[in-house]
Amino acid sequence: MTYDRIDARILELVQRNNRLTSDVISERVGLSATACQRRLKRLRAEGIIEADVSIISAKAVGRPIQMIVMVTLERERADIIDKFKRDIKSSAEIATGFYITGEADFVLYITARSMEDYEQFTRKFFYQNAHIKNLKTMVVVDRVKATFGVPVQDPEDP
């Protein structure tokens, strides 16, 4: 996966606002709209752009309870880790999941309609999994920033 200086500028623009038209992007990077469309298509095909998403307010859609959950598995075995990753991916309640190093094995961002709703989810998802050794839940008081934006380095700058 490679990209150049113009691709880097396009990436910066679309990760801040993925609804920009090719015409707007082309004006900002100095290419034609068609050239921008080709570059975006290639960046998606190569996996540099993984997804085009909108960040939704959990509160606005009836899921005001937000938690960060640290999960430690009983053993670090490939089959157990792989199954837990599949479980995370198939759960609608889990918005984001990371397999990590350190104190825990996974960090999850979970939303719920209420604490009762979260308790039911916990019983079903965590307590019925015999491979979970420990979990620590932290309730989110305020979401200060929500983005998946990453700094895109110009490949021509050292």
Side-chain angles (χ1 to χ4, degrees):
M1 291 189 270
T2 61
Y3 64 94
D4 62 19
R5 174 174 275 157
I6 293 172
D7 290 336
R9 181 71 181 123
I10 291 171
L11 291 168
E12 284 287 343
L13 292 167
V14 299
Q15 76 176 343
R16 276 193 290 256
N17 182 354
N18 70 355
R19 294 180 60 179
L20 292 176
T21 65
S22 295
D23 290 332
V24 171
I25 296 169
S26 69
E27 287 175 23
R28 295 186 185 173
V29 300
L31 290 178
S32 71
T34 304
C36 285
Q37 289 171 345
R38 276 195 305 270
R39 284 174 178 262
L40 282 166
K41 184 176 181 180
R42 180 182 51 78
L43 292 166
R44 289 181 179 104
E46 291 180 4
I48 294 172
I49 295 176
E50 292 182 15
D52 293 291
V53 299
S54 297
I55 297 173
I56 307 298
S57 164
K59 212 178 279 188
V61 295
R63 301 189 69 80
I65 308 298
Q66 301 169 74
M67 281 77 51
I68 304 295
V69 180
M70 298 175 68
V71 180
T72 305
L73 299 178
E74 197 65 49
R75 280 177 245 133
E76 290 226 17
R77 268 188 9 216
D79 60 327
I80 293 171
I81 291 167
D82 291 344
K83 180 177 183 329
F84 195 66
K85 286 180 180 180
R86 285 191 303 274
D87 292 345
I88 290 169
K89 289 177 183 177
S90 68
S91 171
E93 292 85 355
I94 301 172
T96 307
F98 296 100
Y99 177 42
I100 62 167
T101 63
E103 268 185 56
D105 297 313
F106 290 87
V107 172
L108 311 175
Y109 167 66
I110 300 173
T111 65
R113 291 184 301 259
S114 65
M115 286 308 288
E116 293 81 15
D117 184 43
Y118 176 63
E119 181 184 3
Q120 289 303 313
F121 171 76
T122 299
R123 289 172 184 261
K124 178 181 67 177
F125 191 84
F126 297 119
Y127 296 164
Q128 292 181 4
N129 185 332
H131 298 294
I132 294 177
K133 177 180 177 181
N134 186 36
L135 66 106
K136 179 179 182 179
T137 300
M138 295 161 279
V139 176
V140 174
V141 174
D142 183 25
R143 183 173 78 181
V144 178
K145 182 177 181 180
T147 180
F148 278 98
V150 295
V152 179
Q153 182 176 334
D154 183 332
E156 296 171 24
D157 287 344

